[in-house]
Amino acid sequence: MTRYLCAPDSFKESLTAMEAARAMAQGIENADHDAEVRCLPMADGGEGTARALVDATGGSMHAVPVHDPLGRPVEGHFGLLADGTTAVVETAEASGLALLEAKERNPLIASSYGTGELMLAAVRSGAKRIIVGLGGSATNDAGAGLLQALGVRLLDGNGNDLKHGGAALADLATIDISTMDPALKNVSITAACDVTNPLTGPTGASAVFGPQKGASQADVATLDAALAHFAQVIESRLGVAVNDVPGAGAAGGIGAALKGFLDAEFRPGIAIVIEQSGLDAAAQWADVVFTGEGSIDFQTKFGKTPAGVAETAKRHGKPVIAVAGHIGTGIDELHEVGIDAVFGIAPGAASLSELLADAAANVTRTTEQVVRTLQLKQLHKLPLMGRAVKETPEAFPGEGLTTVNPAEGSIIAGRAAAAKP
């Protein structure tokens, strides 16, 4: 009996990580009726992280009325893991670029207030630890809106609360943290962050990420100066230097707010997900590991889910196969990080809408064909991903499907009930 682990990320706009894992599992079971399969949805700290960790741990998603980057009411969600005390909040959920039409993008006024509302809701639901996924934000306010949602008062020289948006920070005179919600005092914050950008300067939040959020060159200069002033006031009033903290510029500077006001710990997103999901133990259990996501190319090796899964699996000497909706350039570079093979799932010429609609079926079909190929290698005594295989008396042609037992390095025969994903 071969043990397969299905540990993909989501396929953007088509499949959640769990849906992708189940599609893989179906393909495996179509080809290998003796298979034992486990589904472990994964993420890298970006979009889909809350759902992936909730599905991986048996937790729950919670809907919350919040405000989008322009202050309009929307429904946001946070995840509460099975332990009941760890919550996952994504900045993209309430403060994301995807919530705005292209013509609405304006980082001068866009606010992270909704992300703060999600965090506060998580705390009031009993969370003692919040994992905040930094990425995909439409904001460049250094987390000012988030702080205001948590009760912090940001005041101008006349004692008035600042308006929302990064540009308003130029008028900041006083910070009052005495009004911060007391429920946050015993809550630890972990920022899932894969960038090391400081808050300001040529590699800061405004210069690097501002243009994709709608900032002109003049806007970038305005925002960079406003955020630098914010950092100066934080240091003078709170005694915390945030400007040059690696990751402070993440999510439009939300990293700076989390560090300066909530003493957040910064960790790579994939490392957090690997830890919380129990991937290491699952990879040790498996004989073959499948992973994947919507698009794979040479950049996948820089902290993306398939690379993290592969690195973990290789610590236990397991073969890793990735499937993707789109395969870009430089995938040969992925072999050096532990991904043994990459397969595209597109069946041929098709429109994007067709590919998105048929994503699950395409993942299933591709995975099934990969497993059938692996079985041919086993039947003909070929090494499975470079491992030697020896014949044993138990292997007889025609008596059920054969599977590799890596622990014994042998081919064995027999049938077992297929495990459900």
Side-chain angles (χ1 to χ4, degrees), residues 311-338:
E311 181 181 355
T312 302
K314 287 308 178 189
R315 287 202 293 268
H316 302 289
K318 305 304 172 68
V320 179
I321 300 163
V323 301
H326 171 262
I327 296 178
T329 60
I331 62 168
D332 54 307
E333 297 180 32
L334 303 182
H335 303 321
E336 63 191 42
V337 298

Side-chain angles (χ1 to χ4, degrees), residues 187-415:
V187 177
S188 65
I189 307 295
T190 302
C193 179
D194 294 309
V195 301
T196 57
N197 303 72
L199 181 61
T200 65
T203 59
S206 305
V208 175
F209 306 113
Q212 70 192 43
K213 301 175 183 183
S216 66
Q217 287 293 353
D219 293 339
V220 167
T222 297
L223 289 166
D224 195 59
L227 268 58
H229 176 65
F230 186 33
Q232 292 169 358
V233 176
I234 291 173
E235 186 167 5
S236 64
R237 298 291 181 178
L238 305 181
V240 181
V242 298
N243 190 70
D244 296 321
V245 173
I254 289 177
L258 296 181
K259 185 65 178 178
F261 291 79
L262 298 169
D263 194 26
E265 174 192 15
F266 285 68
R267 295 184 61 195
I270 185 61
I272 295 171
V273 176
I274 287 172
E275 177 182 274
Q276 293 294 319
S277 66
L279 176 64
D280 189 75
Q284 186 174 15
W285 165 88
D287 299 323
V288 179
V289 177
F290 278 90
T291 187
E293 61 181 343
S295 180
I296 289 180
D297 59 21
F298 73 95
Q299 297 182 81
T300 298
K301 66 181 181 180
F302 300 116
K304 297 299 184 181
T305 293
V309 170
E311 181 181 355
T312 302
K314 287 308 178 189
R315 287 202 293 268
H316 302 289
K318 305 304 172 68
V320 179
I321 300 163
V323 301
H326 171 262
I327 296 178
T329 60
I331 62 168
D332 54 307
E333 297 180 32
L334 303 182
H335 303 321
E336 63 191 42
V337 298
I339 298 176
D340 295 295
V342 181
F343 294 86
I345 66 170
S351 67
L352 177 60
S353 60
E354 290 173 325
L355 292 174
L356 294 176
D358 297 337
N362 290 338
V363 169
T364 295
R365 186 197 65 257
T366 303
T367 307
E368 177 180 346
Q369 297 308 311
V370 171
V371 173
R372 290 187 183 280
T373 302
L374 295 179
Q375 289 180 314
L376 286 174
K377 293 173 71 68
Q378 296 167 25
L379 286 168
H380 292 281
K381 308 184 185 74
L382 297 173
L384 177 62
M385 297 297 178
R387 291 181 295 163
V389 179
K390 64 181 181 180
E391 186 175 3
T392 66
E394 290 80 14
F396 296 97
E399 293 203 6
L401 298 172
T402 59
T403 62
V404 168
N405 183 334
E408 299 178 1
S410 62
I411 292 180
I412 60 175
R415 280 189 184 280

